[in-house]
Amino acid sequence: MVLPTIEDNAGDINHSAFQRDGYLIIRSAADSERCEQLRSIAEHHLVHQLAPLEFESSVGYPGGPQASSIKGGDTVRRLLHAVARHPIFLDWATSTVVRELMTTLLGEDAMLSQSHHNCVMTKQPGYSSVTLWHQDNRYWHFDREHLISSWLALGEERINNGCLRVIPGSHTHEFSSGRLDADLFLRTDLPENKRLIKQARPIELNAGDLLLFHSRLFHAASRNRTDRVKYSLAFTYHGVSNVPIERTRSARFPSIALAPPPISAST
């Protein structure tokens, strides 16, 4: 059975729904002025291809250019290391609304990972790729597989421009290695996986809407079939007690504490 989409205002967090479904939508988490500022910086960095970048041709996903030397091979997929690009990205990633959400859902003080996501995701017309069904934990190395990603829409996200799709509740399932392919994507040729994928639902967002999803939740995205670039700001968080394992990719950069603002001394 397909579960209903759970939507909440930023001040009313449905923790039990997140535990059940593995995701939560917070409508209007960021106001229009903030979204315009974030998108403007992202557009500038994309137009000028300011490094560090990830190109569609470097990941080799279906539908995208398979080599940098062919047409569309210089299409940018992600603007990496967002928090180091401009203070406005760090300001959002460590904002009060994000801190309160993450602290509530993680059950402890939250840390922003600089090693995973920490990027502006783009889907460009013509050369964007298909992201197959996967869990983000596949390449992450922490004491526990309990991390949460935030996905802020900087414009409309619809089926026709490659919005995310999720499989509700899939973060609670255990999957044998045989249900995944060599790249740890969910195999689509198995009957049990086909039944699971039928439960998927698209996550359509407006600018300022925030999607929170568990690192074990299976999700995917199709190509952008419109004539406009889609921008999404993505970050990943972990609890302060859930540390990255030394000498792994997850420990490459130090995490940033989402500390509450200091209390002013009374006069």
Side-chain angles (χ1 to χ4, degrees), residues 66-78:
Q66 299 299 299
S68 60
S69 58
I70 65 176
K71 187 175 181 180
D74 61 347
T75 301
V76 174
R77 181 172 182 266
R78 294 196 297 167

Side-chain angles (χ1 to χ4, degrees), residues 81-265:
H81 298 291
V83 297
R85 285 181 171 272
H86 194 282
I88 195 172
F89 295 130
L90 178 61
D91 182 64
W92 165 255
T94 58
S95 63
T96 299
V97 62
V98 172
R99 174 177 56 81
E100 291 180 351
L101 287 164
M102 291 301 168
T103 300
T104 298
L105 295 177
L106 289 168
E108 61 177 333
D109 289 343
M111 305 285 289
L112 166 66
S113 172
Q114 293 193 83
S115 301
H116 301 301
H117 283 141
N118 186 17
C119 67
V120 179
M121 299 288 302
T122 75
K123 274 194 177 289
Q124 299 197 48
Y127 301 103
S128 63
S129 61
V130 174
T131 307
L132 303 177
W133 290 105
H134 68 284
Q135 298 170 307
D136 285 337
N137 275 328
R138 60 187 180 147
Y139 296 134
W140 297 359
H141 304 278
F142 284 78
D143 285 347
R144 302 186 303 278
E145 290 188 334
H146 181 48
L147 295 90
I148 298 174
S149 293
S150 70
W151 182 281
L152 179 68
L154 301 183
E156 287 190 351
E157 304 208 2
R158 301 289 186 265
I159 294 173
N160 65 349
N161 70 352
C163 70
L164 282 180
R165 292 175 291 150
V166 303
I167 302 177
S170 57
H171 66 302
T172 64
H173 298 185
E174 295 296 332
F175 293 85
S176 65
S177 59
R179 294 182 66 176
L180 307 175
D181 66 17
D183 295 315
L184 302 182
F185 290 111
L186 194 64
R187 290 173 56 185
T188 58
D189 60 326
L190 300 177
E192 58 269 38
N193 287 354
K194 290 180 180 179
R195 289 192 295 270
L196 187 67
I197 292 170
K198 284 183 178 180
Q199 300 177 35
R201 58 175 50 229
I203 304 298
E204 295 193 318
L205 304 172
N206 295 319
D209 291 346
L210 179 66
L211 169 67
L212 307 177
F213 60 99
H214 196 277
S215 55
R216 286 177 54 85
L217 186 75
F218 272 95
H219 56 286
S222 56
R223 300 184 66 193
N224 182 354
R225 302 187 182 280
T226 71
D227 59 358
R228 299 183 63 182
V229 179
K230 181 171 74 68
Y231 294 91
S232 314
L233 189 55
F235 294 105
T236 297
Y237 302 83
H238 60 94
V240 67
S241 69
N242 186 21
V243 299
I245 297 172
E246 293 183 6
R247 297 191 297 276
T248 68
R249 173 186 169 189
S250 298
R252 183 178 180 187
F253 302 107
S255 296
I256 299 172
L258 271 64
I263 299 175
S264 300

Side-chain angles (χ1 to χ4, degrees), residues 39-57:
R39 186 169 59 249
S40 177
I41 296 297
E43 288 173 345
H44 176 78
H45 286 211
L46 182 64
V47 167
H48 295 281
Q49 294 205 350
L50 300 183
L53 307 169
E54 179 183 78
F55 295 92
E56 290 283 5
S57 58

